[in-house]
Amino acid sequence: MLQGHGDDAYRYKRPIIADFSTNVWYGGEPAGLKQHIVDRWPVLNRYPEVVAESLARKIGRHHHLPASQVLITNGTTESIYLIAQAYGTSKTTITIPAFSEYEDACRMYNHQLAFLRQVNIHSGLRTPEGLFFICNPNNPTGHVFDGLHELVKANPQTLFVIDEAFIEFTINVPSLLNLIHTCDNIIILRSMTKAFAIPGLRLGYIMAAASVIEQLMRYKMPWSVNALAIEAGHFIFDHYTTSQLPLAQLFSDKEQLTGQLQQLSFTIGHSHTHFFLAKMPVGTAPLLKTYLVDEHGILIRDASNFRGLTNQHIRLATLSNEKNQLIIEAIKKWIQQCS
């Protein structure tokens, strides 16, 4: 799906003053990263490392893994398409609602697709052979799945692709990373664009058994990760402990925002992250999105194109309290117009 994602402000003539459509941390990149990239600008005069080998080694050390179990990618989207290509024509199950690129990538490489609603995922589930995509915490719902450790261990015939792109936006939600040491049927996807606010650089990585990484490397194009993205990755992991999100404040602001929306008769889905689904009491998501952009310079994610959702669903990410109040006041005016 080339269009229909969040953060599509470039498509509108009016300046956007509050972007609730993207799940990227609104506070910007870690302190010092911009200057670091400027200082490292001369790396653009040379080709980057073919597969960002030095960054793979650094991330491996951070996660206590050998570099042979880490693959650096041009964002999580490249990770998804690379896996779909490497396991082309596989029987594949996708948990829904979900990020559309799982389905799009698998269709591109002729997978036989099945879909399973997130409420039906549990530790006792018996899964078929092939791939199984699970986003944990899930996009767009923010749902966290219980029992995934047991699910992976109990189904060695299934290769689980666990997308942990938003794990940094959770509190006390365990990663499945430790399973890589004992299980060869799990692939962990991580994003460096969301929590560190560098989506324009495109940077992510895959962690899996060495045999799985070797399979993916057969299809990996050279130089897919540019030199500045590699430099950003080095900076982030060199300053990892001082670049963490202020989650307590973020979640406090989210609770205030969702409470105000509920007072306006929105139905709010439970979420373990800073973003959440909201079902509108009146109107449709496409119309509300257009109204907010045109009249208020506010951008939301129309979630109606997620498989399993309706045209009354929107996804919002928590911003600063000041901007959160902007959307509350704008939605009040929308509801008045609709009544």
Side-chain angles (χ1 to χ4, degrees), residues 263-298:
Q263 290 176 5
L264 297 175
S265 298
F266 279 72
T267 302
I268 306 299
H270 179 67
S271 170
H272 286 80
T273 68
H274 68 305
F275 62 85
F276 54 90
L277 277 183
K279 190 173 183 181
M280 302 164 52
V282 293
T284 66
L287 289 176
L288 177 59
K289 178 179 179 180
T290 299
Y291 166 80
L292 290 174
V293 169
D294 291 346
E295 301 298 326
H296 300 277
I298 294 173

Side-chain angles (χ1 to χ4, degrees), residues 15-196:
I16 300 300
I17 62 174
D19 186 355
F20 293 85
S21 74
T22 174
N23 296 336
V24 173
W25 160 236
Y26 71 83
E29 74 281 352
L33 175 57
K34 180 179 179 179
Q35 187 59 51
H36 175 77
I37 290 178
V38 171
D39 293 342
R40 296 296 294 160
W41 195 261
V43 300
L44 291 180
N45 301 133
R46 302 185 303 275
Y47 278 90
E49 298 169 9
V50 175
V51 287
E53 296 93 329
S54 65
L55 185 54
R57 290 192 294 270
K58 182 168 290 183
I59 291 176
R61 289 193 296 270
H62 177 85
H63 291 297
H64 307 291
L65 292 171
S68 60
Q69 291 187 256
V70 180
L71 183 59
I72 311 300
T73 60
N74 185 271
T76 303
T77 299
E78 187 199 1
S79 301
I80 294 165
Y81 278 80
L82 185 61
I83 292 166
Q85 182 182 15
Y87 296 93
T89 72
S90 170
K91 293 182 179 179
T92 298
T93 303
I94 299 174
T95 304
I96 59 171
F99 185 43
S100 63
E101 300 304 333
Y102 307 143
E103 180 177 349
D104 292 349
C106 289
R107 289 195 186 281
M108 181 178 289
Y109 295 103
N110 300 312
H111 289 230
Q112 302 173 54
L113 291 177
F115 301 95
L116 190 63
R117 289 190 173 275
Q118 66 176 33
V119 295
N120 295 322
I121 306 297
H122 56 86
S123 60
L125 183 68
R126 291 297 168 258
T127 58
E129 292 185 4
L131 299 183
F132 202 125
F133 281 87
I134 298 176
C135 188
N136 190 55
N138 188 43
N139 177 22
T141 65
H143 176 79
V144 167
F145 296 89
D146 295 324
L148 289 186
H149 284 78
E150 294 79 8
L151 180 67
V152 172
K153 290 179 181 179
N155 292 278
Q157 74 284 355
T158 305
L159 181 57
F160 290 91
V161 183
I162 309 296
D163 186 349
E164 294 186 346
F166 299 102
I167 195 76
E168 289 92 353
F169 291 93
T170 62
I171 298 175
N172 297 325
V173 174
S175 167
L176 270 68
L177 178 59
N178 65 321
L179 287 180
I180 292 178
H181 298 286
T182 57
C183 300
D184 60 4
N185 66 321
I186 183 171
I187 301 174
I188 301 289
L189 308 185
R190 288 286 181 91
S191 169
M192 296 179 68
T193 65
K194 311 295 191 302
F196 304 107

